[in-house]
Amino acid sequence: MNIRTEIIAVGSELLLGQIVNSNAQFLSQELAELGLSVYYHTVVGDNPSRLESAINNAKERSNVIIFTGGLGPTKDDLTKETISKVLGRELTFDVEALESIERYFTQTKRIMSENNKKQALVIDGSYILKNDYGMAPGMAVDIDGMIYMLLPGPPSEMKPMFENYGREYFQTKLGFQDKIISRVLRYFGIGESQLETDIQDIIDGQTNPTIAPLAADGEVTLRLTAKHKDEHIAQKLLNETEKRINDRVGEFFYGYEQTTLVHELNKLLMKKGKTISAAESLTGGMFSEYITSLDGASQIFKGSIVSYTNEVKEQILKVQKRTLEQFGAVSEECAREMAEQIRKLSKSDIGISFTGAAGPQPHEGQPVGTVFIAISMGDQNSNVFKLNLAGSRKGIRVRSVKYGCHYLVKLLNEIE
């Protein structure tokens, strides 16, 4: 059976651009892992006639339709009312959901208005999906081979509902016997197009596991998804595919799942017992903010100086005046002195510096996107890296910080 899936997001706030439709992205990823192909994403406002039209269109081209949003207590929450009308099914109260709502208002000593009961209404004959983080339950109903699933709009309710109950419903209903195991590989320092080119033949030949490349914020991730009745064999398939990929692009690999470069840097500094400090010019304290946002940062981070002007570089950071006059602030020489001076001033094991032209105008004759990152480690010669980045001012600054973390991770991994 060719299962064609459509996701219909309900909510005028989505059409107005007030919120991002992150639910559709999440569901598409989850459904892909289940082997369900999503053919269409539809967004419709809080209007019953337009929603009815969207449902009828979806019925013509899809056999699994998943709705998000419109299950709440207000007048514009009309998803289940409209669907029940299209399906010719009555809405009935789910006793468990109604008791849960009443219990919530009793415990919080609040008066429950009549419209809150509406959240406990479900389509007659549907399979109930519990809402462990909100009031309105979700539901799924199968009518003549067409599956309709209704999920709440808030991601904090929708995601756990699907993970805990929706996924299991599809696995049982559609008779999936295979266990589905995913693994996310994270890369930095290589573009999405280059990574895909380097492993194109592996992607072209994918069957099990499947390989899905994704790009975000200057990074590239690969989601590997394997299916097998035996979970151990599924893991073995993932291991084999990961090895084939990293035999080619492993120098850019830095971690798994939801980790970040700064998390990996934090772990390495902790593991190796090293402290770090930062001298930041174009990044304006962004590196320091990233690293201090993590638990245990006080064990590895000594401090920083945001030396945004030449006066502060010279007078506070003690960069030599002749360096600034001869080479300028956006230079290899300045970056090196900044890193060495912050390491000495803070008595840390490692000093890192960021200087460059973030834009929108060139700086000291250097084109926008010119960045120097220096890393000073003890008595070793300092490493200086020059970057030529493109994009917005914010994008250049963010990628500069990520490159700094990337270089630090590589250098720390070389230390015994």
Side-chain angles (χ1 to χ4, degrees):
M1 178 184 176
N2 182 25
I3 301 173
R4 300 177 304 281
T5 306
E6 180 159 353
I7 298 169
I8 299 179
V10 183
S12 297
E13 66 276 12
L14 295 165
L15 294 173
L16 293 170
Q18 294 171 342
I19 63 170
V20 175
N21 189 11
S22 60
N23 285 344
Q25 179 189 32
F26 168 82
L27 286 170
S28 288
Q29 292 171 349
E30 292 293 313
L31 293 165
E33 289 187 15
L34 284 169
L36 292 172
S37 298
V38 176
Y39 282 55
Y40 303 97
H41 282 186
T42 299
V43 179
V44 62
D46 302 310
N47 181 286
S49 62
R50 288 196 286 273
L51 177 54
E52 187 173 338
S53 176
I55 296 167
N56 287 325
N57 287 338
K59 286 170 65 179
E60 294 295 319
R61 61 194 185 190
S62 306
N63 40 27
V64 172
I65 309 172
I66 302 177
F67 301 84
T68 62
L71 304 185
T74 62
K75 288 184 178 180
D76 59 359
D77 290 314
L78 297 169
T79 299
K80 55 193 170 190
E81 288 82 355
T82 306
I83 296 171
S84 68
K85 176 186 173 184
V86 172
L87 301 183
R89 293 280 185 101
E90 295 292 326
L91 288 173
T92 60
F93 281 106
D94 179 68
V95 175
E96 185 177 343
L98 185 57
E99 289 176 349
S100 176
I101 294 169
E102 291 172 340
R103 190 161 53 248
Y104 167 80
F105 279 94
T106 299
Q107 290 172 348
T108 57
K109 295 181 171 58
R110 294 167 57 192
I111 297 172
M112 188 176 88
S113 57
E114 193 65 25
N115 64 341
N116 275 290
K117 291 183 178 180
K118 174 187 169 189
Q119 295 181 95
L121 286 170
V122 297
I123 296 171
D124 189 38
S126 59
Y127 177 86
I128 306 304
L129 307 172
K130 279 183 63 179
N131 191 340
D132 296 324
Y133 296 89
M135 294 189 190
M139 64 206 80
V141 59
D142 183 347
I143 299 178
D144 300 326
M146 282 283 297
I147 296 176
Y148 303 82
M149 180 175 283
L150 286 66
L151 300 169
S156 59
E157 298 177 30
M158 188 279 295
K159 290 181 179 180
M161 181 183 290
F162 187 84
E163 289 172 338
N164 297 332
Y165 307 109
R167 172 189 280 267
E168 183 182 358
Y169 173 84
F170 281 124
Q171 287 178 313
T172 303
K173 189 71 179 178
L174 301 175
F176 295 148
Q177 298 299 316
D178 289 339
K179 288 183 169 55
I180 299 164
I181 310 293
S182 284
R183 182 181 301 171
V184 175
L185 312 180
R186 307 190 74 89
Y187 300 86
F188 185 81
I190 184 172
E192 181 184 19
S193 59
Q194 185 59 56
L195 186 142
E196 285 194 43
T197 298
D198 290 348
I199 63 168
Q200 193 62 58
D201 58 315
I202 302 176
I203 294 174
D204 290 343
Q206 64 179 311
T207 51
N208 188 23
T210 57
I211 305 168
L214 302 166
D217 296 327
E219 300 187 27
V220 184
T221 62
L222 294 176
R223 180 189 287 264
L224 313 183
T225 304
K227 301 178 189 176
H228 202 278
K229 292 178 182 178
D230 188 326
E231 185 175 339
H232 296 291
I233 295 177
Q235 292 285 5
K236 182 172 181 289
L237 291 169
L238 291 175
N239 293 339
E240 290 170 352
T241 301
E242 179 185 335
K243 184 178 185 307
R244 287 185 67 201
I245 292 169
N246 281 345
D247 280 346
R248 302 187 191 182
V249 293
E251 64 181 294
F252 304 103
F253 171 77
Y254 76 84
Y256 296 97
E257 307 309 328
Q258 300 306 309
T259 191
T260 63
L261 281 160
V262 73
H263 271 92
E264 295 303 310
L265 171 59
N266 180 280
K267 287 194 295 185
L268 273 172
L269 289 168
M270 293 274 197
K271 178 181 177 182
K272 295 180 182 291
K274 301 291 184 182
T275 58
I276 190 170
S277 53
E280 302 190 59
S281 186
L282 89 156
T283 48
M286 191 179 288
F287 174 85
S288 304
E289 196 280 327
Y290 274 36
I291 203 160
T292 55
S293 67
L294 303 177
D295 292 341
S298 59
Q299 298 177 50
I300 51 98
F301 187 64
K302 284 289 191 77
S304 66
I305 294 175
V306 178
S307 52
Y308 213 65
T309 65
N310 283 3
E311 288 79 10
V312 174
K313 289 181 178 71
E314 181 184 346
Q315 296 171 18
I316 307 298
L317 199 53
K318 306 303 181 185
V319 173
Q320 297 179 74
K321 184 176 183 178
R322 68 172 180 268
T323 299
L324 295 168
E325 291 177 342
Q326 183 176 353
F327 302 104
V330 184
S331 67
E332 175 182 337
E333 291 77 10
C334 181
R336 180 180 287 108
E337 282 193 39
M338 288 171 65
E340 290 172 353
Q341 288 301 111
I342 193 64
R343 178 180 58 79
K344 292 173 185 175
L345 287 169
S346 64
K347 296 181 172 58
S348 59
D349 299 308
I350 303 167
I352 185 170
S353 70
F354 300 85
T355 185
Q361 302 299 325
H363 186 62
E364 295 184 345
Q366 294 283 12
V368 172
T370 303
V371 177
F372 291 92
I373 300 172
I375 297 172
S376 172
M377 290 187 174
D379 297 328
Q380 303 174 29
N381 291 329
S382 299
N383 293 275
V384 183
F385 306 90
K386 181 181 180 181
L387 300 171
N388 296 293
L389 303 176
S392 67
R393 178 180 174 84
K394 180 181 178 182
I396 289 169
R397 296 173 72 230
V398 168
R399 286 198 294 281
S400 295
V401 171
K402 289 188 175 184
Y403 267 105
C405 295
H406 171 65
Y407 294 136
L408 282 165
V409 166
K410 291 188 74 172
L411 289 170
L412 285 165
N413 275 323
E414 294 172 3
I415 298 175
E416 294 297 329

